[in-house]
Amino acid sequence: MNICKRIKAYWDSLEDIYDRTYFLIVIIGFAVGFLAATMTVFEDIGAWSYIVDYIGSIAILIIGIWTIKTNRKQIGHIALPIVLNCFIMPASFWACGGLHTGTILFFVACLFTVGVLLTGRTMYIVYGICFAVQSVAIWLPFFYPEIVILKPLSTETAYIVDFNIALLFTSLALLGITSMVYRAYGIERDKNQKLIQRLRNLSEKDELSGLYNRRELFIVLEHLYNEDKGQSQYVHLENGILAMIDIDKFKSLNDTYGHLFGDEVLQKIAEIIQNHMNISLAEMAFRYGGEEFISIMNSDSKETALSRVEDIRKNIESLTWEDHPSLTVTISGGVVCCADYANFNDALKAVDELLYKAKKEGRNRISV
């Protein structure tokens, strides 16, 4: 039981798919070799047959343990398929009756290990060497029959049984290795997709507020003013409304209550703005600057958009703060129709002027 736990712990510690495959091939190679040797004992087809198979299975285990304990798995990735294909299998082939048994199936399984343990030029070189050695091993008994230690099995039934056992062992080995490779690939693919999504979020979104960042705003506005109708994930120019809001007296709030509380204010306001965005209509909210936010909304009129931004303003004004119950945070803002301007720079300039108009007129209001 302790051995099983140690094997599982080592398996869980492996992150690279090739290292996991190598470890699995060592375990399966040893098990299959040991079982094949044991079957030859029961078949009573000669001592050399099971001696060679037992030696081969032990050799696989020794190579695996040595390369794992010394952390030389890269050497093992090359050494294991070469030892399997160039030494163990030819010896087993000659000792177990050559083509007159099921041993030939193990040749296929062993060549398969080259493809799952190696990559690039090394894989092709090792495969070429292994295939050449196996071909020589198969042809030698044709020219020198005496090289086959075991003579053909006595009956056709015995041959079929031996071949069927070899088919069972090799197919189970290939099944186990292939399923593990695909499963490990799936896990690594999911990890990579999550990492890519995380990196994408970091590049697109503001870390503090969770809203899209300034860079993403300009990308979206570029699409908006290029009238890319095929880009259904963006609001189109004729329905595009640009709203900019700014937290009133935010510097004073930071100086009075501290930057941590200032961050809390930014996060709550960002949450309210995001909750007022209709994602199904491709509406998006952005953190434009320190305490400035911009939203791109999909609306049939400026009046409707103004009403929605007013709702945002009222919800922010009604916020309560646990540590500062008497505090009221307000915003000022501006709203423009994107279609009224030739480019997004003009639209941003116009909505910014409306924002400062609201500030001058007393704050806590939205200008159009």
Side-chain angles (χ1 to χ4, degrees), residues 335-360:
V335 176
V336 299
C337 292
C338 295
D340 293 342
Y341 303 90
N343 56 68
F344 67 80
N345 286 318
D346 290 345
L348 284 173
K349 182 179 179 182
V351 77
D352 188 57
E353 289 173 352
L354 287 172
L355 166 63
Y356 279 95
K357 177 186 174 185
K359 295 276 190 183
K360 289 179 181 178

PDB file of all heavy atoms in Angstrom, residues 335-360:
ATOM      1  N   VAL A 335     -23.025  62.823 -21.448  1.00  0.00           N
ATOM      2  CA  VAL A 335     -23.516  61.802 -22.376  1.00  0.00           C
ATOM      3  C   VAL A 335     -23.564  62.394 -23.781  1.00  0.00           C
ATOM      4  O   VAL A 335     -24.073  63.502 -23.968  1.00  0.00           O
ATOM      5  CB  VAL A 335     -24.930  61.321 -21.969  1.00  0.00           C
ATOM      6  CG1 VAL A 335     -25.477  60.328 -22.999  1.00  0.00           C
ATOM      7  CG2 VAL A 335     -24.902  60.668 -20.592  1.00  0.00           C
ATOM      8  N   VAL A 336     -23.015  61.649 -24.773  1.00  0.00           N
ATOM      9  CA  VAL A 336     -23.078  62.084 -26.171  1.00  0.00           C
ATOM     10  C   VAL A 336     -23.466  60.906 -27.061  1.00  0.00           C
ATOM     11  O   VAL A 336     -23.268  59.744 -26.697  1.00  0.00           O
ATOM     12  CB  VAL A 336     -21.727  62.662 -26.660  1.00  0.00           C
ATOM     13  CG1 VAL A 336     -21.325  63.880 -25.857  1.00  0.00           C
ATOM     14  CG2 VAL A 336     -20.640  61.603 -26.634  1.00  0.00           C
ATOM     15  N   CYS A 337     -24.027  61.240 -28.232  1.00  0.00           N
ATOM     16  CA  CYS A 337     -24.299  60.229 -29.258  1.00  0.00           C
ATOM     17  C   CYS A 337     -23.055  60.091 -30.129  1.00  0.00           C
ATOM     18  O   CYS A 337     -22.560  61.089 -30.671  1.00  0.00           O
ATOM     19  CB  CYS A 337     -25.487  60.638 -30.120  1.00  0.00           C
ATOM     20  SG  CYS A 337     -27.059  60.632 -29.257  1.00  0.00           S
ATOM     21  N   CYS A 338     -22.563  58.890 -30.292  1.00  0.00           N
ATOM     22  CA  CYS A 338     -21.340  58.680 -31.074  1.00  0.00           C
ATOM     23  C   CYS A 338     -21.508  59.108 -32.524  1.00  0.00           C
ATOM     24  O   CYS A 338     -20.566  59.620 -33.151  1.00  0.00           O
ATOM     25  CB  CYS A 338     -20.953  57.204 -31.009  1.00  0.00           C
ATOM     26  SG  CYS A 338     -20.495  56.639 -29.344  1.00  0.00           S
ATOM     27  N   ALA A 339     -22.697  58.928 -33.075  1.00  0.00           N
ATOM     28  CA  ALA A 339     -22.936  59.239 -34.487  1.00  0.00           C
ATOM     29  C   ALA A 339     -22.849  60.732 -34.780  1.00  0.00           C
ATOM     30  O   ALA A 339     -22.748  61.138 -35.945  1.00  0.00           O
ATOM     31  CB  ALA A 339     -24.294  58.698 -34.913  1.00  0.00           C
ATOM     32  N   ASP A 340     -22.862  61.575 -33.741  1.00  0.00           N
ATOM     33  CA  ASP A 340     -22.793  63.032 -33.941  1.00  0.00           C
ATOM     34  C   ASP A 340     -21.374  63.512 -34.196  1.00  0.00           C
ATOM     35  O   ASP A 340     -21.174  64.707 -34.471  1.00  0.00           O
ATOM     36  CB  ASP A 340     -23.359  63.754 -32.710  1.00  0.00           C
ATOM     37  CG  ASP A 340     -24.852  63.524 -32.538  1.00  0.00           C
ATOM     38  OD1 ASP A 340     -25.506  63.116 -33.525  1.00  0.00           O
ATOM     39  OD2 ASP A 340     -25.361  63.750 -31.419  1.00  0.00           O
ATOM     40  N   TYR A 341     -20.405  62.597 -34.151  1.00  0.00           N
ATOM     41  CA  TYR A 341     -19.006  63.010 -34.270  1.00  0.00           C
ATOM     42  C   TYR A 341     -18.295  62.182 -35.334  1.00  0.00           C
ATOM     43  O   TYR A 341     -18.605  61.005 -35.531  1.00  0.00           O
ATOM     44  CB  TYR A 341     -18.304  62.896 -32.916  1.00  0.00           C
ATOM     45  CG  TYR A 341     -19.001  63.721 -31.852  1.00  0.00           C
ATOM     46  CD1 TYR A 341     -20.007  63.158 -31.081  1.00  0.00           C
ATOM     47  CD2 TYR A 341     -18.690  65.056 -31.679  1.00  0.00           C
ATOM     48  CE1 TYR A 341     -20.684  63.911 -30.137  1.00  0.00           C
ATOM     49  CE2 TYR A 341     -19.360  65.827 -30.736  1.00  0.00           C
ATOM     50  CZ  TYR A 341     -20.365  65.253 -29.970  1.00  0.00           C
ATOM     51  OH  TYR A 341     -21.041  66.018 -29.054  1.00  0.00           O
ATOM     52  N   ALA A 342     -17.340  62.829 -35.997  1.00  0.00           N
ATOM     53  CA  ALA A 342     -16.669  62.188 -37.137  1.00  0.00           C
ATOM     54  C   ALA A 342     -15.709  61.100 -36.703  1.00  0.00           C
ATOM     55  O   ALA A 342     -15.464  60.149 -37.452  1.00  0.00           O
ATOM     56  CB  ALA A 342     -15.927  63.243 -37.952  1.00  0.00           C
ATOM     57  N   ASN A 343     -15.159  61.236 -35.508  1.00  0.00           N
ATOM     58  CA  ASN A 343     -14.216  60.220 -35.016  1.00  0.00           C
ATOM     59  C   ASN A 343     -14.312  60.136 -33.498  1.00  0.00           C
ATOM     60  O   ASN A 343     -14.900  61.001 -32.845  1.00  0.00           O
ATOM     61  CB  ASN A 343     -12.785  60.517 -35.465  1.00  0.00           C
ATOM     62  CG  ASN A 343     -12.338  61.907 -35.033  1.00  0.00           C
ATOM     63  OD1 ASN A 343     -12.161  62.165 -33.845  1.00  0.00           O
ATOM     64  ND2 ASN A 343     -12.171  62.810 -36.011  1.00  0.00           N
ATOM     65  N   PHE A 344     -13.706  59.107 -32.947  1.00  0.00           N
ATOM     66  CA  PHE A 344     -13.878  58.895 -31.510  1.00  0.00           C
ATOM     67  C   PHE A 344     -13.119  59.913 -30.667  1.00  0.00           C
ATOM     68  O   PHE A 344     -13.480  60.185 -29.522  1.00  0.00           O
ATOM     69  CB  PHE A 344     -13.521  57.463 -31.106  1.00  0.00           C
ATOM     70  CG  PHE A 344     -12.080  57.082 -31.241  1.00  0.00           C
ATOM     71  CD1 PHE A 344     -11.150  57.446 -30.276  1.00  0.00           C
ATOM     72  CD2 PHE A 344     -11.648  56.321 -32.316  1.00  0.00           C
ATOM     73  CE1 PHE A 344      -9.824  57.070 -30.380  1.00  0.00           C
ATOM     74  CE2 PHE A 344     -10.328  55.938 -32.427  1.00  0.00           C
ATOM     75  CZ  PHE A 344      -9.402  56.314 -31.461  1.00  0.00           C
ATOM     76  N   ASN A 345     -12.064  60.507 -31.211  1.00  0.00           N
ATOM     77  CA  ASN A 345     -11.356  61.547 -30.471  1.00  0.00           C
ATOM     78  C   ASN A 345     -12.258  62.754 -30.233  1.00  0.00           C
ATOM     79  O   ASN A 345     -12.265  63.335 -29.139  1.00  0.00           O
ATOM     80  CB  ASN A 345     -10.092  61.969 -31.218  1.00  0.00           C
ATOM     81  CG  ASN A 345      -8.993  60.935 -31.120  1.00  0.00           C
ATOM     82  OD1 ASN A 345      -8.773  60.368 -30.056  1.00  0.00           O
ATOM     83  ND2 ASN A 345      -8.300  60.674 -32.228  1.00  0.00           N
ATOM     84  N   ASP A 346     -13.028  63.112 -31.268  1.00  0.00           N
ATOM     85  CA  ASP A 346     -13.967  64.223 -31.110  1.00  0.00           C
ATOM     86  C   ASP A 346     -15.063  63.872 -30.110  1.00  0.00           C
ATOM     87  O   ASP A 346     -15.487  64.726 -29.306  1.00  0.00           O
ATOM     88  CB  ASP A 346     -14.610  64.568 -32.465  1.00  0.00           C
ATOM     89  CG  ASP A 346     -13.626  65.212 -33.429  1.00  0.00           C
ATOM     90  OD1 ASP A 346     -12.545  65.657 -32.963  1.00  0.00           O
ATOM     91  OD2 ASP A 346     -13.912  65.249 -34.643  1.00  0.00           O
ATOM     92  N   ALA A 347     -15.535  62.623 -30.152  1.00  0.00           N
ATOM     93  CA  ALA A 347     -16.580  62.191 -29.211  1.00  0.00           C
ATOM     94  C   ALA A 347     -16.059  62.219 -27.781  1.00  0.00           C
ATOM     95  O   ALA A 347     -16.762  62.673 -26.862  1.00  0.00           O
ATOM     96  CB  ALA A 347     -17.069  60.798 -29.577  1.00  0.00           C
ATOM     97  N   LEU A 348     -14.820  61.751 -27.575  1.00  0.00           N
ATOM     98  CA  LEU A 348     -14.237  61.769 -26.236  1.00  0.00           C
ATOM     99  C   LEU A 348     -14.034  63.198 -25.739  1.00  0.00           C
ATOM    100  O   LEU A 348     -14.279  63.497 -24.555  1.00  0.00           O
ATOM    101  CB  LEU A 348     -12.893  61.031 -26.235  1.00  0.00           C
ATOM    102  CG  LEU A 348     -12.937  59.509 -26.282  1.00  0.00           C
ATOM    103  CD1 LEU A 348     -11.541  58.930 -26.459  1.00  0.00           C
ATOM    104  CD2 LEU A 348     -13.561  58.952 -24.995  1.00  0.00           C
ATOM    105  N   LYS A 349     -13.611  64.080 -26.626  1.00  0.00           N
ATOM    106  CA  LYS A 349     -13.413  65.481 -26.245  1.00  0.00           C
ATOM    107  C   LYS A 349     -14.740  66.118 -25.843  1.00  0.00           C
ATOM    108  O   LYS A 349     -14.817  66.842 -24.835  1.00  0.00           O
ATOM    109  CB  LYS A 349     -12.788  66.246 -27.407  1.00  0.00           C
ATOM    110  CG  LYS A 349     -12.502  67.709 -27.100  1.00  0.00           C
ATOM    111  CD  LYS A 349     -11.859  68.407 -28.299  1.00  0.00           C
ATOM    112  CE  LYS A 349     -11.607  69.885 -27.972  1.00  0.00           C
ATOM    113  NZ  LYS A 349     -11.014  70.602 -29.145  1.00  0.00           N
ATOM    114  N   ALA A 350     -15.796  65.809 -26.611  1.00  0.00           N
ATOM    115  CA  ALA A 350     -17.109  66.395 -26.333  1.00  0.00           C
ATOM    116  C   ALA A 350     -17.677  65.904 -25.003  1.00  0.00           C
ATOM    117  O   ALA A 350     -18.198  66.691 -24.205  1.00  0.00           O
ATOM    118  CB  ALA A 350     -18.072  66.055 -27.469  1.00  0.00           C
ATOM    119  N   VAL A 351     -17.583  64.599 -24.749  1.00  0.00           N
ATOM    120  CA  VAL A 351     -18.143  64.067 -23.506  1.00  0.00           C
ATOM    121  C   VAL A 351     -17.315  64.525 -22.307  1.00  0.00           C
ATOM    122  O   VAL A 351     -17.851  64.721 -21.203  1.00  0.00           O
ATOM    123  CB  VAL A 351     -18.249  62.528 -23.568  1.00  0.00           C
ATOM    124  CG1 VAL A 351     -16.900  61.846 -23.372  1.00  0.00           C
ATOM    125  CG2 VAL A 351     -19.257  62.010 -22.544  1.00  0.00           C
ATOM    126  N   ASP A 352     -16.029  64.741 -22.511  1.00  0.00           N
ATOM    127  CA  ASP A 352     -15.178  65.260 -21.443  1.00  0.00           C
ATOM    128  C   ASP A 352     -15.572  66.699 -21.101  1.00  0.00           C
ATOM    129  O   ASP A 352     -15.615  67.082 -19.921  1.00  0.00           O
ATOM    130  CB  ASP A 352     -13.714  65.200 -21.888  1.00  0.00           C
ATOM    131  CG  ASP A 352     -12.753  65.532 -20.758  1.00  0.00           C
ATOM    132  OD1 ASP A 352     -12.812  64.846 -19.720  1.00  0.00           O
ATOM    133  OD2 ASP A 352     -11.964  66.479 -20.904  1.00  0.00           O
ATOM    134  N   GLU A 353     -15.877  67.496 -22.107  1.00  0.00           N
ATOM    135  CA  GLU A 353     -16.323  68.879 -21.873  1.00  0.00           C
ATOM    136  C   GLU A 353     -17.651  68.904 -21.125  1.00  0.00           C
ATOM    137  O   GLU A 353     -17.865  69.744 -20.238  1.00  0.00           O
ATOM    138  CB  GLU A 353     -16.440  69.610 -23.210  1.00  0.00           C
ATOM    139  CG  GLU A 353     -15.088  69.909 -23.857  1.00  0.00           C
ATOM    140  CD  GLU A 353     -15.221  70.489 -25.257  1.00  0.00           C
ATOM    141  OE1 GLU A 353     -16.365  70.521 -25.775  1.00  0.00           O
ATOM    142  OE2 GLU A 353     -14.197  70.894 -25.831  1.00  0.00           O
ATOM    143  N   LEU A 354     -18.559  67.977 -21.458  1.00  0.00           N
ATOM    144  CA  LEU A 354     -19.835  67.901 -20.752  1.00  0.00           C
ATOM    145  C   LEU A 354     -19.637  67.495 -19.294  1.00  0.00           C
ATOM    146  O   LEU A 354     -20.347  67.982 -18.395  1.00  0.00           O
ATOM    147  CB  LEU A 354     -20.767  66.904 -21.447  1.00  0.00           C
ATOM    148  CG  LEU A 354     -21.365  67.371 -22.774  1.00  0.00           C
ATOM    149  CD1 LEU A 354     -22.112  66.224 -23.451  1.00  0.00           C
ATOM    150  CD2 LEU A 354     -22.318  68.548 -22.553  1.00  0.00           C
ATOM    151  N   LEU A 355     -18.663  66.620 -19.058  1.00  0.00           N
ATOM    152  CA  LEU A 355     -18.357  66.207 -17.688  1.00  0.00           C
ATOM    153  C   LEU A 355     -17.910  67.423 -16.872  1.00  0.00           C
ATOM    154  O   LEU A 355     -18.403  67.645 -15.751  1.00  0.00           O
ATOM    155  CB  LEU A 355     -17.265  65.142 -17.704  1.00  0.00           C
ATOM    156  CG  LEU A 355     -16.580  64.828 -16.373  1.00  0.00           C
ATOM    157  CD1 LEU A 355     -17.572  64.255 -15.374  1.00  0.00           C
ATOM    158  CD2 LEU A 355     -15.418  63.863 -16.562  1.00  0.00           C
ATOM    159  N   TYR A 356     -17.024  68.223 -17.424  1.00  0.00           N
ATOM    160  CA  TYR A 356     -16.531  69.373 -16.676  1.00  0.00           C
ATOM    161  C   TYR A 356     -17.593  70.473 -16.563  1.00  0.00           C
ATOM    162  O   TYR A 356     -17.588  71.249 -15.604  1.00  0.00           O
ATOM    163  CB  TYR A 356     -15.234  69.905 -17.295  1.00  0.00           C
ATOM    164  CG  TYR A 356     -14.059  69.081 -16.859  1.00  0.00           C
ATOM    165  CD1 TYR A 356     -13.582  68.042 -17.639  1.00  0.00           C
ATOM    166  CD2 TYR A 356     -13.467  69.295 -15.614  1.00  0.00           C
ATOM    167  CE1 TYR A 356     -12.527  67.247 -17.217  1.00  0.00           C
ATOM    168  CE2 TYR A 356     -12.414  68.499 -15.184  1.00  0.00           C
ATOM    169  CZ  TYR A 356     -11.944  67.481 -15.987  1.00  0.00           C
ATOM    170  OH  TYR A 356     -10.906  66.693 -15.547  1.00  0.00           O
ATOM    171  N   LYS A 357     -18.506  70.498 -17.494  1.00  0.00           N
ATOM    172  CA  LYS A 357     -19.648  71.402 -17.379  1.00  0.00           C
ATOM    173  C   LYS A 357     -20.486  71.032 -16.159  1.00  0.00           C
ATOM    174  O   LYS A 357     -20.922  71.895 -15.381  1.00  0.00           O
ATOM    175  CB  LYS A 357     -20.499  71.335 -18.646  1.00  0.00           C
ATOM    176  CG  LYS A 357     -21.756  72.197 -18.594  1.00  0.00           C
ATOM    177  CD  LYS A 357     -22.616  71.974 -19.823  1.00  0.00           C
ATOM    178  CE  LYS A 357     -23.939  72.741 -19.693  1.00  0.00           C
ATOM    179  NZ  LYS A 357     -24.876  72.460 -20.802  1.00  0.00           N
ATOM    180  N   ALA A 358     -20.702  69.702 -15.989  1.00  0.00           N
ATOM    181  CA  ALA A 358     -21.468  69.236 -14.823  1.00  0.00           C
ATOM    182  C   ALA A 358     -20.739  69.576 -13.528  1.00  0.00           C
ATOM    183  O   ALA A 358     -21.363  69.919 -12.516  1.00  0.00           O
ATOM    184  CB  ALA A 358     -21.688  67.725 -14.932  1.00  0.00           C
ATOM    185  N   LYS A 359     -19.413  69.506 -13.535  1.00  0.00           N
ATOM    186  CA  LYS A 359     -18.627  69.854 -12.351  1.00  0.00           C
ATOM    187  C   LYS A 359     -18.807  71.340 -12.005  1.00  0.00           C
ATOM    188  O   LYS A 359     -19.025  71.706 -10.846  1.00  0.00           O
ATOM    189  CB  LYS A 359     -17.144  69.573 -12.598  1.00  0.00           C
ATOM    190  CG  LYS A 359     -16.776  68.113 -12.805  1.00  0.00           C
ATOM    191  CD  LYS A 359     -16.567  67.395 -11.487  1.00  0.00           C
ATOM    192  CE  LYS A 359     -15.977  66.012 -11.704  1.00  0.00           C
ATOM    193  NZ  LYS A 359     -15.848  65.274 -10.425  1.00  0.00           N
ATOM    194  N   LYS A 360     -18.735  72.174 -13.039  1.00  0.00           N
ATOM    195  CA  LYS A 360     -18.838  73.616 -12.820  1.00  0.00           C
ATOM    196  C   LYS A 360     -20.228  74.028 -12.347  1.00  0.00           C
ATOM    197  O   LYS A 360     -20.393  75.018 -11.630  1.00  0.00           O
ATOM    198  CB  LYS A 360     -18.487  74.362 -14.109  1.00  0.00           C
ATOM    199  CG  LYS A 360     -17.012  74.305 -14.468  1.00  0.00           C
ATOM    200  CD  LYS A 360     -16.745  75.042 -15.773  1.00  0.00           C
ATOM    201  CE  LYS A 360     -15.267  74.974 -16.156  1.00  0.00           C
ATOM    202  NZ  LYS A 360     -14.994  75.652 -17.447  1.00  0.00           N
TER     203      LYS A 360
END
